[in-house]
Amino acid sequence: MTARITAISTTVLAALALALTGLLMAATAAQAEERVCRGTIGPTTVDNLRVPQGASCTLNGTRVKGTIKVENRARLVANKVRVNGNIQSEGYKSILVRRGSIVGGSVQLKNGLASGSGRVFNTRVSGDLQYEANFGKMVARSSTVLANLQAVQNRGGLVISKNRISENLQCKQNNPAPIGGGNTAGDKEGQCSRL
């Protein structure tokens, strides 16, 4: 009987050890899914991408299966990128998305620094394009936004021109008021009603 209990205990312990090893390997793989960008990445595919604090990253034809996150004082230039998720940042130095880039989620730029800028040119955004409480110059030009373009409480100047917006173009509490024109939208509201 004791031998049988010992054999069962050994089997259970072996199974637990294998399960624990599997969990540790999965955790390691999950950490490896985020690529850190300092410098330039060309036409390759990554899972998620992060531009760390104060770093500069240039993407040329890169495909991102998940999300791009740009940390404080960081810079991103994205040329012809394909992003399945979002491009997000709070406190960035500068972000430029251009040249036929495609974003499957939203572009959300918040609290950009006064000496920087946020610019989205000739890009297709399946979700929202949101500029909120930025201190640098913000530009949205010649892009297609399949949801809303929203600009709220920006302080460094705002240009919105020649965009096709499926839902609403909403602007409020921007100082100075946005300039531009030639935009089409389901509805134009607030400071952007004449753009």
Side-chain angles (χ1 to χ4, degrees):
M1 182 84 158
T2 304
R4 185 172 180 194
I5 291 173
T6 303
I8 292 172
S9 297
T10 303
T11 303
V12 170
L13 286 174
L16 286 173
L18 281 173
L20 183 58
T21 301
L23 286 173
L24 290 173
M25 289 175 68
T28 302
Q31 290 173 353
E33 290 176 6
E34 180 178 81
R35 172 95 179 252
V36 173
C37 180
R38 289 180 181 93
T40 301
I41 298 176
T44 190
T45 299
V46 300
D47 289 331
N48 293 299
L49 189 133
R50 179 174 59 89
V51 185
Q53 183 171 323
S56 293
C57 173
T58 300
L59 304 175
N60 293 314
T62 309
R63 180 169 179 208
V64 181
K65 292 180 181 178
T67 293
I68 297 175
K69 291 185 180 177
V70 182
E71 295 184 347
N72 282 340
R73 299 185 314 276
R75 295 175 174 89
L76 171 69
V77 175
N79 300 304
K80 294 185 180 178
V81 298
R82 303 290 182 267
V83 181
N84 290 355
N86 301 319
I87 298 176
Q88 301 172 314
S89 184
E90 285 197 40
Y92 61 93
K93 175 71 174 178
S94 65
I95 293 179
L96 172 59
V97 184
R98 63 182 176 180
R99 295 187 181 161
S101 292
I102 297 173
V103 180
S106 295
V107 176
Q108 301 162 321
L109 306 183
K110 186 174 181 179
N111 296 325
L113 302 180
S115 57
S117 64
R119 298 171 287 162
V120 177
F121 298 143
N122 192 29
T123 294
R124 180 184 175 92
V125 180
S126 294
D128 293 324
L129 175 53
Q130 299 173 326
Y131 293 160
E132 183 180 348
N134 294 287
F135 295 96
K137 184 171 184 176
M138 305 303 293
V139 180
R141 181 176 294 135
S142 302
S143 293
T144 299
V145 180
L146 298 182
N148 302 294
L149 194 160
Q150 301 167 318
V152 179
Q153 296 180 338
N154 296 288
R155 299 286 177 253
L158 179 60
V159 178
I160 300 174
S161 64
K162 300 179 183 175
N163 299 289
R164 291 177 300 176
I165 302 148
S166 296
E167 295 182 19
N168 300 311
L169 172 56
Q170 303 166 319
C171 302
K172 63 181 180 179
Q173 300 172 345
N174 298 289
N175 186 14
I179 61 171
N183 299 288
T184 60
D187 190 29
K188 299 179 184 179
E189 302 174 10
Q191 293 174 310
C192 287
S193 59
R194 296 182 182 181
L195 299 183

PDB file of all heavy atoms in Angstrom, residues 149 158-163 165 169 171 177-185 188-195:
ATOM      1  N   LEU A 149     -12.758  61.153 -36.008  1.00  0.00           N
ATOM      2  CA  LEU A 149     -11.556  61.937 -35.765  1.00  0.00           C
ATOM      3  C   LEU A 149     -11.921  62.924 -34.665  1.00  0.00           C
ATOM      4  O   LEU A 149     -12.836  63.734 -34.830  1.00  0.00           O
ATOM      5  CB  LEU A 149     -11.092  62.664 -37.025  1.00  0.00           C
ATOM      6  CG  LEU A 149      -9.669  63.252 -36.990  1.00  0.00           C
ATOM      7  CD1 LEU A 149      -9.160  63.497 -38.411  1.00  0.00           C
ATOM      8  CD2 LEU A 149      -9.531  64.497 -36.173  1.00  0.00           C
ATOM      9  N   LEU A 158      -3.243  72.965 -34.658  1.00  0.00           N
ATOM     10  CA  LEU A 158      -3.908  71.769 -35.162  1.00  0.00           C
ATOM     11  C   LEU A 158      -4.340  71.998 -36.603  1.00  0.00           C
ATOM     12  O   LEU A 158      -5.051  72.965 -36.891  1.00  0.00           O
ATOM     13  CB  LEU A 158      -5.123  71.477 -34.273  1.00  0.00           C
ATOM     14  CG  LEU A 158      -6.015  70.298 -34.578  1.00  0.00           C
ATOM     15  CD1 LEU A 158      -5.241  68.988 -34.521  1.00  0.00           C
ATOM     16  CD2 LEU A 158      -7.166  70.259 -33.584  1.00  0.00           C
ATOM     17  N   VAL A 159      -3.881  71.137 -37.510  1.00  0.00           N
ATOM     18  CA  VAL A 159      -4.254  71.213 -38.920  1.00  0.00           C
ATOM     19  C   VAL A 159      -4.988  69.929 -39.278  1.00  0.00           C
ATOM     20  O   VAL A 159      -4.461  68.828 -39.091  1.00  0.00           O
ATOM     21  CB  VAL A 159      -3.013  71.369 -39.826  1.00  0.00           C
ATOM     22  CG1 VAL A 159      -3.435  71.389 -41.292  1.00  0.00           C
ATOM     23  CG2 VAL A 159      -2.224  72.624 -39.463  1.00  0.00           C
ATOM     24  N   ILE A 160      -6.214  70.077 -39.794  1.00  0.00           N
ATOM     25  CA  ILE A 160      -7.017  68.927 -40.218  1.00  0.00           C
ATOM     26  C   ILE A 160      -7.475  69.216 -41.647  1.00  0.00           C
ATOM     27  O   ILE A 160      -8.305  70.104 -41.862  1.00  0.00           O
ATOM     28  CB  ILE A 160      -8.224  68.702 -39.284  1.00  0.00           C
ATOM     29  CG1 ILE A 160      -7.733  68.452 -37.849  1.00  0.00           C
ATOM     30  CG2 ILE A 160      -9.076  67.537 -39.768  1.00  0.00           C
ATOM     31  CD1 ILE A 160      -8.852  68.352 -36.816  1.00  0.00           C
ATOM     32  N   SER A 161      -6.906  68.478 -42.620  1.00  0.00           N
ATOM     33  CA  SER A 161      -7.247  68.794 -44.004  1.00  0.00           C
ATOM     34  C   SER A 161      -7.287  67.543 -44.883  1.00  0.00           C
ATOM     35  O   SER A 161      -6.488  66.622 -44.717  1.00  0.00           O
ATOM     36  CB  SER A 161      -6.254  69.806 -44.586  1.00  0.00           C
ATOM     37  OG  SER A 161      -4.967  69.266 -44.657  1.00  0.00           O
ATOM     38  N   LYS A 162      -8.250  67.552 -45.790  1.00  0.00           N
ATOM     39  CA  LYS A 162      -8.390  66.546 -46.861  1.00  0.00           C
ATOM     40  C   LYS A 162      -8.510  65.120 -46.352  1.00  0.00           C
ATOM     41  O   LYS A 162      -8.000  64.182 -46.963  1.00  0.00           O
ATOM     42  CB  LYS A 162      -7.231  66.663 -47.848  1.00  0.00           C
ATOM     43  CG  LYS A 162      -7.151  68.020 -48.509  1.00  0.00           C
ATOM     44  CD  LYS A 162      -5.986  68.125 -49.450  1.00  0.00           C
ATOM     45  CE  LYS A 162      -5.912  69.518 -50.035  1.00  0.00           C
ATOM     46  NZ  LYS A 162      -4.722  69.699 -50.880  1.00  0.00           N
ATOM     47  N   ASN A 163      -9.189  64.927 -45.230  1.00  0.00           N
ATOM     48  CA  ASN A 163      -9.415  63.589 -44.670  1.00  0.00           C
ATOM     49  C   ASN A 163     -10.813  63.100 -45.027  1.00  0.00           C
ATOM     50  O   ASN A 163     -11.742  63.895 -45.160  1.00  0.00           O
ATOM     51  CB  ASN A 163      -9.266  63.629 -43.145  1.00  0.00           C
ATOM     52  CG  ASN A 163      -7.880  64.060 -42.725  1.00  0.00           C
ATOM     53  OD1 ASN A 163      -6.925  63.325 -42.883  1.00  0.00           O
ATOM     54  ND2 ASN A 163      -7.774  65.276 -42.202  1.00  0.00           N
ATOM     55  N   ILE A 165     -13.635  60.891 -43.346  1.00  0.00           N
ATOM     56  CA  ILE A 165     -13.992  60.376 -42.028  1.00  0.00           C
ATOM     57  C   ILE A 165     -15.388  59.769 -42.124  1.00  0.00           C
ATOM     58  O   ILE A 165     -16.346  60.460 -42.478  1.00  0.00           O
ATOM     59  CB  ILE A 165     -13.948  61.513 -40.982  1.00  0.00           C
ATOM     60  CG1 ILE A 165     -12.543  62.143 -40.969  1.00  0.00           C
ATOM     61  CG2 ILE A 165     -14.340  61.009 -39.604  1.00  0.00           C
ATOM     62  CD1 ILE A 165     -12.534  63.607 -40.637  1.00  0.00           C
ATOM     63  N   LEU A 169     -16.360  64.143 -37.210  1.00  0.00           N
ATOM     64  CA  LEU A 169     -15.197  64.995 -37.016  1.00  0.00           C
ATOM     65  C   LEU A 169     -15.561  65.919 -35.861  1.00  0.00           C
ATOM     66  O   LEU A 169     -16.417  66.789 -35.995  1.00  0.00           O
ATOM     67  CB  LEU A 169     -14.883  65.786 -38.290  1.00  0.00           C
ATOM     68  CG  LEU A 169     -13.796  66.863 -38.196  1.00  0.00           C
ATOM     69  CD1 LEU A 169     -12.482  66.285 -37.690  1.00  0.00           C
ATOM     70  CD2 LEU A 169     -13.606  67.546 -39.536  1.00  0.00           C
ATOM     71  N   CYS A 171     -14.245  68.480 -32.742  1.00  0.00           N
ATOM     72  CA  CYS A 171     -13.166  69.308 -32.200  1.00  0.00           C
ATOM     73  C   CYS A 171     -13.727  70.242 -31.140  1.00  0.00           C
ATOM     74  O   CYS A 171     -14.728  70.922 -31.381  1.00  0.00           O
ATOM     75  CB  CYS A 171     -12.518  70.132 -33.300  1.00  0.00           C
ATOM     76  SG  CYS A 171     -11.836  69.167 -34.659  1.00  0.00           S
ATOM     77  N   ALA A 177      -7.704  77.507 -32.359  1.00  0.00           N
ATOM     78  CA  ALA A 177      -8.699  76.672 -33.033  1.00  0.00           C
ATOM     79  C   ALA A 177      -8.072  75.977 -34.240  1.00  0.00           C
ATOM     80  O   ALA A 177      -7.114  76.488 -34.839  1.00  0.00           O
ATOM     81  CB  ALA A 177      -9.878  77.531 -33.485  1.00  0.00           C
ATOM     82  N   PRO A 178      -8.578  74.809 -34.616  1.00  0.00           N
ATOM     83  CA  PRO A 178      -8.035  74.064 -35.763  1.00  0.00           C
ATOM     84  C   PRO A 178      -8.177  74.845 -37.068  1.00  0.00           C
ATOM     85  O   PRO A 178      -9.116  75.627 -37.251  1.00  0.00           O
ATOM     86  CB  PRO A 178      -8.891  72.801 -35.808  1.00  0.00           C
ATOM     87  CG  PRO A 178      -9.553  72.713 -34.491  1.00  0.00           C
ATOM     88  CD  PRO A 178      -9.680  74.098 -33.975  1.00  0.00           C
ATOM     89  N   ILE A 179      -7.239  74.602 -37.987  1.00  0.00           N
ATOM     90  CA  ILE A 179      -7.326  75.145 -39.337  1.00  0.00           C
ATOM     91  C   ILE A 179      -7.295  73.981 -40.313  1.00  0.00           C
ATOM     92  O   ILE A 179      -6.993  72.850 -39.945  1.00  0.00           O
ATOM     93  CB  ILE A 179      -6.182  76.141 -39.625  1.00  0.00           C
ATOM     94  CG1 ILE A 179      -4.814  75.454 -39.514  1.00  0.00           C
ATOM     95  CG2 ILE A 179      -6.257  77.340 -38.689  1.00  0.00           C
ATOM     96  CD1 ILE A 179      -3.654  76.314 -39.991  1.00  0.00           C
ATOM     97  N   GLY A 180      -7.588  74.270 -41.568  1.00  0.00           N
ATOM     98  CA  GLY A 180      -7.572  73.245 -42.598  1.00  0.00           C
ATOM     99  C   GLY A 180      -8.821  73.332 -43.445  1.00  0.00           C
ATOM    100  O   GLY A 180      -9.402  74.400 -43.613  1.00  0.00           O
ATOM    101  N   GLY A 181      -9.269  72.211 -43.985  1.00  0.00           N
ATOM    102  CA  GLY A 181     -10.459  72.164 -44.813  1.00  0.00           C
ATOM    103  C   GLY A 181     -10.411  70.968 -45.740  1.00  0.00           C
ATOM    104  O   GLY A 181      -9.459  70.180 -45.733  1.00  0.00           O
ATOM    105  N   GLY A 182     -11.468  70.840 -46.545  1.00  0.00           N
ATOM    106  CA  GLY A 182     -11.529  69.766 -47.519  1.00  0.00           C
ATOM    107  C   GLY A 182     -11.784  68.398 -46.927  1.00  0.00           C
ATOM    108  O   GLY A 182     -11.523  67.381 -47.563  1.00  0.00           O
ATOM    109  N   ASN A 183     -12.315  68.354 -45.699  1.00  0.00           N
ATOM    110  CA  ASN A 183     -12.608  67.082 -45.034  1.00  0.00           C
ATOM    111  C   ASN A 183     -14.033  66.648 -45.333  1.00  0.00           C
ATOM    112  O   ASN A 183     -14.939  67.474 -45.412  1.00  0.00           O
ATOM    113  CB  ASN A 183     -12.452  67.245 -43.517  1.00  0.00           C
ATOM    114  CG  ASN A 183     -11.048  67.639 -43.126  1.00  0.00           C
ATOM    115  OD1 ASN A 183     -10.130  66.840 -43.198  1.00  0.00           O
ATOM    116  ND2 ASN A 183     -10.875  68.900 -42.736  1.00  0.00           N
ATOM    117  N   THR A 184     -14.257  65.349 -45.477  1.00  0.00           N
ATOM    118  CA  THR A 184     -15.616  64.820 -45.543  1.00  0.00           C
ATOM    119  C   THR A 184     -15.843  63.978 -44.298  1.00  0.00           C
ATOM    120  O   THR A 184     -14.935  63.280 -43.838  1.00  0.00           O
ATOM    121  CB  THR A 184     -15.832  63.960 -46.800  1.00  0.00           C
ATOM    122  OG1 THR A 184     -14.927  62.862 -46.786  1.00  0.00           O
ATOM    123  CG2 THR A 184     -15.614  64.771 -48.071  1.00  0.00           C
ATOM    124  N   ALA A 185     -17.043  64.060 -43.737  1.00  0.00           N
ATOM    125  CA  ALA A 185     -17.363  63.328 -42.505  1.00  0.00           C
ATOM    126  C   ALA A 185     -18.860  63.119 -42.421  1.00  0.00           C
ATOM    127  O   ALA A 185     -19.635  63.876 -43.023  1.00  0.00           O
ATOM    128  CB  ALA A 185     -16.867  64.104 -41.278  1.00  0.00           C
ATOM    129  N   LYS A 188     -19.818  67.008 -38.783  1.00  0.00           N
ATOM    130  CA  LYS A 188     -18.731  67.879 -38.320  1.00  0.00           C
ATOM    131  C   LYS A 188     -19.250  68.674 -37.135  1.00  0.00           C
ATOM    132  O   LYS A 188     -20.290  69.323 -37.255  1.00  0.00           O
ATOM    133  CB  LYS A 188     -18.235  68.788 -39.422  1.00  0.00           C
ATOM    134  CG  LYS A 188     -17.657  68.065 -40.622  1.00  0.00           C
ATOM    135  CD  LYS A 188     -17.205  69.057 -41.680  1.00  0.00           C
ATOM    136  CE  LYS A 188     -16.704  68.356 -42.930  1.00  0.00           C
ATOM    137  NZ  LYS A 188     -16.277  69.326 -43.966  1.00  0.00           N
ATOM    138  N   GLU A 189     -18.496  68.659 -36.040  1.00  0.00           N
ATOM    139  CA  GLU A 189     -18.997  69.267 -34.805  1.00  0.00           C
ATOM    140  C   GLU A 189     -17.969  70.222 -34.208  1.00  0.00           C
ATOM    141  O   GLU A 189     -16.757  70.054 -34.364  1.00  0.00           O
ATOM    142  CB  GLU A 189     -19.312  68.172 -33.773  1.00  0.00           C
ATOM    143  CG  GLU A 189     -20.327  67.160 -34.249  1.00  0.00           C
ATOM    144  CD  GLU A 189     -20.506  66.005 -33.271  1.00  0.00           C
ATOM    145  OE1 GLU A 189     -19.985  66.073 -32.142  1.00  0.00           O
ATOM    146  OE2 GLU A 189     -21.166  65.023 -33.655  1.00  0.00           O
ATOM    147  N   GLY A 190     -18.509  71.203 -33.442  1.00  0.00           N
ATOM    148  CA  GLY A 190     -17.684  72.113 -32.672  1.00  0.00           C
ATOM    149  C   GLY A 190     -16.756  72.934 -33.551  1.00  0.00           C
ATOM    150  O   GLY A 190     -17.154  73.458 -34.592  1.00  0.00           O
ATOM    151  N   GLN A 191     -15.500  73.052 -33.142  1.00  0.00           N
ATOM    152  CA  GLN A 191     -14.533  73.889 -33.850  1.00  0.00           C
ATOM    153  C   GLN A 191     -14.240  73.397 -35.262  1.00  0.00           C
ATOM    154  O   GLN A 191     -13.683  74.135 -36.071  1.00  0.00           O
ATOM    155  CB  GLN A 191     -13.218  73.942 -33.059  1.00  0.00           C
ATOM    156  CG  GLN A 191     -13.319  74.660 -31.726  1.00  0.00           C
ATOM    157  CD  GLN A 191     -12.031  74.536 -30.934  1.00  0.00           C
ATOM    158  OE1 GLN A 191     -11.510  73.437 -30.767  1.00  0.00           O
ATOM    159  NE2 GLN A 191     -11.526  75.658 -30.444  1.00  0.00           N
ATOM    160  N   CYS A 192     -14.589  72.164 -35.565  1.00  0.00           N
ATOM    161  CA  CYS A 192     -14.316  71.615 -36.899  1.00  0.00           C
ATOM    162  C   CYS A 192     -15.532  71.633 -37.811  1.00  0.00           C
ATOM    163  O   CYS A 192     -15.508  71.043 -38.889  1.00  0.00           O
ATOM    164  CB  CYS A 192     -13.790  70.185 -36.787  1.00  0.00           C
ATOM    165  SG  CYS A 192     -12.092  70.105 -36.169  1.00  0.00           S
ATOM    166  N   SER A 193     -16.590  72.322 -37.407  1.00  0.00           N
ATOM    167  CA  SER A 193     -17.825  72.298 -38.195  1.00  0.00           C
ATOM    168  C   SER A 193     -17.648  72.886 -39.595  1.00  0.00           C
ATOM    169  O   SER A 193     -18.381  72.532 -40.501  1.00  0.00           O
ATOM    170  CB  SER A 193     -18.958  73.023 -37.452  1.00  0.00           C
ATOM    171  OG  SER A 193     -18.583  74.365 -37.209  1.00  0.00           O
ATOM    172  N   ARG A 194     -16.673  73.775 -39.784  1.00  0.00           N
ATOM    173  CA  ARG A 194     -16.453  74.406 -41.101  1.00  0.00           C
ATOM    174  C   ARG A 194     -15.263  73.818 -41.853  1.00  0.00           C
ATOM    175  O   ARG A 194     -14.900  74.292 -42.912  1.00  0.00           O
ATOM    176  CB  ARG A 194     -16.257  75.904 -40.930  1.00  0.00           C
ATOM    177  CG  ARG A 194     -17.492  76.576 -40.389  1.00  0.00           C
ATOM    178  CD  ARG A 194     -17.300  78.045 -40.271  1.00  0.00           C
ATOM    179  NE  ARG A 194     -18.497  78.665 -39.690  1.00  0.00           N
ATOM    180  CZ  ARG A 194     -18.613  79.947 -39.479  1.00  0.00           C
ATOM    181  NH1 ARG A 194     -17.632  80.764 -39.775  1.00  0.00           N
ATOM    182  NH2 ARG A 194     -19.714  80.441 -38.948  1.00  0.00           N
ATOM    183  N   LEU A 195     -14.645  72.822 -41.288  1.00  0.00           N
ATOM    184  CA  LEU A 195     -13.472  72.256 -41.968  1.00  0.00           C
ATOM    185  C   LEU A 195     -13.857  71.123 -42.910  1.00  0.00           C
ATOM    186  O   LEU A 195     -13.027  70.546 -43.559  1.00  0.00           O
ATOM    187  CB  LEU A 195     -12.468  71.743 -40.929  1.00  0.00           C
ATOM    188  CG  LEU A 195     -11.891  72.762 -39.939  1.00  0.00           C
ATOM    189  CD1 LEU A 195     -10.874  72.128 -39.022  1.00  0.00           C
ATOM    190  CD2 LEU A 195     -11.279  73.945 -40.689  1.00  0.00           C
TER     191      LEU A 195
END
